[in-house]
Amino acid sequence: IDTFTVQLQGTDIENLRTTTSSISARRRALDERRTLAFGIGFYNDEQTPSGGTTAYSHALYLDGEYTWRDVDNLLEPTRGWMANVQLGGGVPGASTERFARVIGRAVAWYPLSKSNSVSARVEAGAVLADSRDGIPSNFLFRTGGDTTVRGYAFDSLGVAIGDAVVGGRYYAVASVEAVHWISPSWGIAAFVDAGNATDTPSAIDPVWGYGLGAR
């Protein structure tokens, strides 16, 4: 599968105004259980924290990823596992700063009984560079929201710069969820999430989110 994307995106989150323009191409294998993908893109980024000055950066980015899926159902898995590894980097000379980026993710599903199941997820990433300066924001990490740490606003967890929250060079997230199915279509879930993003691995101080939800 080949895709070609041109995008202009602006966001205003946690007192940080970000505008990113990009042009990218990606190739992806058809096999959904053992999937290789790789791509190239050019990204131009502007970030303005509340009350601060605008920082400009750009990168010509090359990356590849591989996904393993060993599940009973590709769309709605109830048993099995999934793992994904991503490797990429900014090309020296065509990027404001050279950097490398690695992300790893794993999810497992396990049915305890006909009406009860449990799932667990872990993920972590790192940007290998001397500092975050000169690296486009979409390659840095923030957490918070429905897909990382529930109970916190989307992308609200990261590195505090004055009143703003910007992306960090490292992140880690973990989650455990148990579901009791009341019917074939509806269930009640209890979950615990933990994670955060920062600029140094030793400074990661996980925050916790927990609660109940419908499935």
Side-chain angles (χ1 to χ4, degrees):
I1 300 174
D2 297 301
T3 59
F4 181 77
T5 305
V6 179
Q7 188 174 39
L8 175 62
Q9 183 178 22
T11 61
D12 197 344
I13 300 174
E14 295 296 318
N15 297 314
L16 180 70
R17 177 66 182 176
T18 304
T19 303
T20 301
S21 57
S22 64
I23 180 170
S24 61
R26 196 158 194 82
R27 187 171 181 85
R28 176 179 173 273
L30 291 173
D31 187 348
E32 294 290 349
R33 294 188 178 272
R34 299 292 185 270
T35 309
L36 173 67
F38 52 90
I40 182 173
F42 186 80
Y43 300 81
N44 190 68
D45 190 74
E46 300 178 12
Q47 278 197 319
T48 307
S50 178
T53 58
T54 300
Y56 300 91
S57 60
H58 64 269
L60 178 63
Y61 187 74
L62 300 173
D63 79 294
E65 66 175 302
Y66 197 87
T67 302
W68 297 263
R69 293 182 178 89
D70 187 1
V71 293
D72 58 346
N73 186 300
L74 289 171
L75 294 178
E76 297 181 358
T78 61
R79 180 189 296 272
W81 57 272
M82 184 278 290
N84 171 269
V85 174
Q86 302 177 31
L87 299 172
V91 177
S95 306
T96 311
E97 296 290 340
R98 63 180 182 180
F99 65 95
R101 188 173 186 256
V102 57
I103 297 174
R105 296 185 175 97
V107 186
W109 298 267
Y110 186 75
L112 299 174
S113 66
K114 185 177 180 179
S115 58
N116 296 285
S117 63
V118 65
S119 63
R121 168 177 55 93
V122 293
E123 58 180 284
V127 170
L128 306 179
D130 293 334
S131 76
R132 89 176 84 85
D133 297 334
I135 300 175
S137 61
N138 50 302
F139 299 119
L140 299 171
F141 305 112
R142 292 192 290 183
T143 63
D146 291 345
T147 60
T148 53
V149 183
R150 287 165 284 190
Y152 289 83
F154 177 71
D155 277 357
S156 64
L157 303 174
V159 179
I161 302 294
D163 295 331
V165 174
V166 303
R169 291 185 294 133
Y170 300 89
Y171 88 107
V173 173
S175 176
V176 176
E177 180 173 299
V179 181
H180 173 69
W181 293 100
I182 302 171
S183 72
S185 300
W186 290 94
I188 299 173
F191 65 87
V192 178
D193 300 338
N196 214 330
T198 185
D199 262 343
T200 58
S202 60
I204 292 182
D205 183 16
V207 300
W208 296 81
Y210 48 88
L212 300 173
R215 295 289 178 270

